[in-house]
């Protein structure tokens, strides 16, 4: 089981980091012209890497033809930890050292979008709330946790669905 977890976890990590690296090579630092594209690429990389949760559970199922929901769920959750830790770490490195102006630029971009779509009163209220949320992102711990959880929670959802699927396929004894 450990071999399945490590193999699929490392593949998932390579995919999420590889897509981020390729996006960086193609687009450079995100700016207001490609923030939305960058977000879409981010979620695509998360889903693409987490397909290896399903593939890892399938590999285990094909090897042993037995298991329980909890065994499959645990396997998928363990695989999900690899890309989640990598993406959380990458985000901290990116925000702090690769592109330290990102948060300011992204905040300005989001405020501009809000200002264009809200009334003056709604904008002022939304701006206060948004600035409080942005203050969290200035913390290395909060950056890591938010990006880790983004990947890990999606991984848990895929783990749950995969565990249900393979539990239904597992032959019952007796």
């Amino acid at each position: 089981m450990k071999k399945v977890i490590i193999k699929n976890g490392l593949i998932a990590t390579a995919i999420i980091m590889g897509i981020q690296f390729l996006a960086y090579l193609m687009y450079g630092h995100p700016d207001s012209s490609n923030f939305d594209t960058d977000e879409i690429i981010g979620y695509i990389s998360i889903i693409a890497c987490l397909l290896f949760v399903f593939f890892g559970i399938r590999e285990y199922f094909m090897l042993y033809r037995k298991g329980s929901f909890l065994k499959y769920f645990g396997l998928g959750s363990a695989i999900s930890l690899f890309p989640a830790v990598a993406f959380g770490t990458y985000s901290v490195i990116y925000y702090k050292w690769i592109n330290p102006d990102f948060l300011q630029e992204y905040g300005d971009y989001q405020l501009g979008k809000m200002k264009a779509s809200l009334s003056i009163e709604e904008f002022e209220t939304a701006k206060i709330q948004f600035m409080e949320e942005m203050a969290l992102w200035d913390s290395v711990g909060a950056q890591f946790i938010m990006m880790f959880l983004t990947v890990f929670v999606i991984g848990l959802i895929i783990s749950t669905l995969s565990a249900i699927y393979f539990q239904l396929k597992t032959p019952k004894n007796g």
Side-chain angles (χ1 to χ4, degrees), residues 12 15-16 19-20 40-50 87:
I15 289 171
I16 198 167
I19 292 172
Q20 294 303 311
I40 291 167
I41 290 170
Y43 280 105
I44 287 170
S45 69
I46 292 168
I47 298 299
C49 83
L50 291 173
F87 199 64

Side-chain angles (χ1 to χ4, degrees), residues 1 5 53 57 60 67-80 152-164 166-167:
M1 188 159 125
I5 291 168
V53 167
I57 295 171
Y60 180 84
S68 64
F69 172 84
L70 288 177
K71 170 91 61 187
Y72 298 140
F73 179 77
L75 183 71
S77 299
I79 293 168
S80 298
F152 191 64
V153 168
I154 294 170
L156 291 179
I157 292 167
I158 294 172
S159 296
T160 302
L161 295 173
S162 300
I164 290 169
F166 285 104
Q167 178 63 40

Side-chain angles (χ1 to χ4, degrees), residues 14-33:
I15 289 171
I16 198 167
M17 298 314 301
I19 292 172
Q20 294 303 311
F21 180 70
L22 288 174
Y24 184 76
L25 288 177
M26 290 172 56
Y27 298 111
H29 290 305
D31 59 33
S32 61
S33 68

Side-chain angles (χ1 to χ4, degrees), residues 110-124:
Q110 289 297 336
L111 287 172
K113 279 178 52 174
M114 282 188 244
K115 192 171 191 174
S117 65
L118 300 173
S119 70
I120 294 171
E121 298 82 25
E122 290 172 323
F123 172 71
E124 289 303 322

Side-chain angles (χ1 to χ4, degrees), residues 87-157:
F87 199 64
T89 303
Y90 163 77
S91 296
V92 169
I93 292 168
Y94 184 82
Y95 294 143
K96 287 296 180 187
W97 294 290
I98 296 174
N99 189 3
D101 297 329
F102 174 79
L103 292 177
Q104 181 63 46
E105 293 168 3
Y106 184 73
D108 293 345
Y109 169 74
Q110 289 297 336
L111 287 172
K113 279 178 52 174
M114 282 188 244
K115 192 171 191 174
S117 65
L118 300 173
S119 70
I120 294 171
E121 298 82 25
E122 290 172 323
F123 172 71
E124 289 303 322
T125 303
K127 180 180 176 182
I128 292 168
Q129 181 180 359
F130 180 75
M131 295 308 287
E132 289 171 357
E133 291 171 7
M134 287 300 288
L136 280 176
W137 285 98
D138 203 27
S139 159
V140 170
Q143 285 175 5
F144 177 85
I145 290 168
M146 291 303 295
M147 300 317 315
F148 170 87
L149 286 176
T150 300
V151 176
F152 191 64
V153 168
I154 294 170
L156 291 179
I157 292 167

